[in-house]
Amino acid sequence: MPFPSDVQRRVAHIDVLSENVFAESILYWNHGFEVEQRWMKVNAASRPMRIGSGDALDLDCDCDVVISAPEGGVVHVNGNLGCDIVAGGRLELVVRGNVLENSTIRVNGFLHIYVRGSLYGQIEATDSSKIWIDGDVSGHIKTGDPSTNLNIAGNYFGGITSKDVDAGMLFLCIEGFASDESMCSLATIGYSVFTASVGSSNVEPGFYPNGSIACQTQFGYSSSRWCVHRQNNRGTDQRGRR
């Protein structure tokens, strides 16, 4: 079955907010096989798959086999992602379900990804990335350089680190819950710029950190600031989930 229309509209909305990062997906849903990308439709995946730079893969199933895209491309998973994806260049990835614990998305290049469910596995990108997750994040994200835009509609319990000593910039939006401890930990990584908007946390609403937003870390000068919108001592918040 095709991606549900509400998921397509959600990706189209994000595409506008993120400056055309899901253009190939929108064209495919709007015009089908008339678009230039060579879309391959797969209803059941039983062995590893490889696509070229001009290819696009539409998996109408859960994915439990390794996908390689050394020159980038477009991948749709109409289910859960339970395998590794290894890519280079620029990867446009849409996952209808969850990214499972045993899955790693590793991109030596630029990554644009939308996950309808939650992230239990790992995402790694060496260059800039724009990441949208509509569920919770309990997995791990390794950010690249020069910048990462990360949007989480659910709760954040996972980990974020930088792949390089030059941590670049991190722009983080969490609509659900994230602890004050996790935000303070991110501020010590050494991002040249770290800004965040947090839906709810275990501290009072307001601007953080208390004191100077600039500090010297082991990786160099860093500027960090974030805003908390609601206090919540329960540790979860369902308001942000899509």
Side-chain angles (χ1 to χ4, degrees), residues 19-133:
E19 301 177 347
N20 209 36
V21 296
F22 294 109
E24 298 297 341
S25 297
I26 304 304
L27 285 172
Y28 176 54
W29 288 327
N30 193 24
H31 298 290
F33 287 93
E34 298 175 11
V35 298
E36 293 182 1
Q37 288 277 2
R38 299 193 303 274
W39 282 88
M40 297 180 291
K41 183 82 170 181
V42 177
N43 294 318
S46 59
R47 59 183 180 180
M49 289 176 286
R50 178 187 175 103
I51 62 173
S53 61
D55 293 333
L57 180 62
D58 186 356
L59 286 167
D60 193 14
C61 57
D62 293 335
C63 184
D64 298 314
V65 298
V66 175
I67 298 174
S68 60
E71 299 177 81
V74 187
V75 177
H76 286 182
V77 179
N78 194 7
N80 294 319
L81 180 65
C83 64
D84 291 349
I85 294 181
V86 182
R90 176 187 177 277
L91 179 67
E92 181 178 324
L93 174 62
V94 179
V95 179
R96 179 186 176 187
N98 301 313
V99 177
L100 302 180
E101 188 174 0
N102 59 337
S103 176
T104 298
I105 300 164
R106 186 176 294 110
V107 180
N108 186 21
F110 298 89
L111 172 64
H112 300 151
I113 177 174
Y114 168 74
V115 179
R116 180 67 167 176
S118 295
L119 174 69
Y120 302 105
Q122 184 163 292
I123 295 174
E124 300 178 7
T126 60
D127 296 331
S128 290
S129 57
K130 295 186 178 182
I131 302 168
W132 290 77
I133 299 169

Side-chain angles (χ1 to χ4, degrees), residues 179-239:
S179 69
D180 182 61
E181 293 77 12
S182 66
M183 293 296 102
C184 292
S185 177
L186 289 174
T188 66
I189 290 176
Y191 289 105
S192 58
V193 175
F194 164 55
T195 60
S197 174
V198 181
S200 68
S201 189
N202 55 329
V203 291
E204 294 182 355
F207 293 97
Y208 293 88
N210 296 319
S212 175
I213 65 173
C215 66
Q216 188 74 24
T217 71
Q218 60 178 323
F219 300 121
Y221 175 83
S222 176
S223 174
S224 301
R225 59 179 171 83
W226 61 94
C227 175
V228 173
H229 297 272
R230 303 180 300 276
Q231 184 168 6
N232 176 1
N233 296 320
R234 298 191 306 272
T236 60
D237 191 339
Q238 299 301 315
R239 293 195 193 188

Side-chain angles (χ1 to χ4, degrees), residues 128-174:
S128 290
S129 57
K130 295 186 178 182
I131 302 168
W132 290 77
I133 299 169
D134 273 355
D136 299 328
V137 171
S138 58
H140 195 89
I141 298 171
K142 290 185 178 180
T143 62
D145 184 62
S147 66
T148 298
N149 292 75
L150 174 57
N151 298 268
I152 302 169
N155 304 299
Y156 170 70
F157 306 111
I160 298 173
T161 57
S162 172
K163 285 184 63 67
D164 303 306
V165 172
D166 184 3
M169 298 177 287
L170 174 62
F171 305 99
L172 174 63
C173 180
I174 302 169

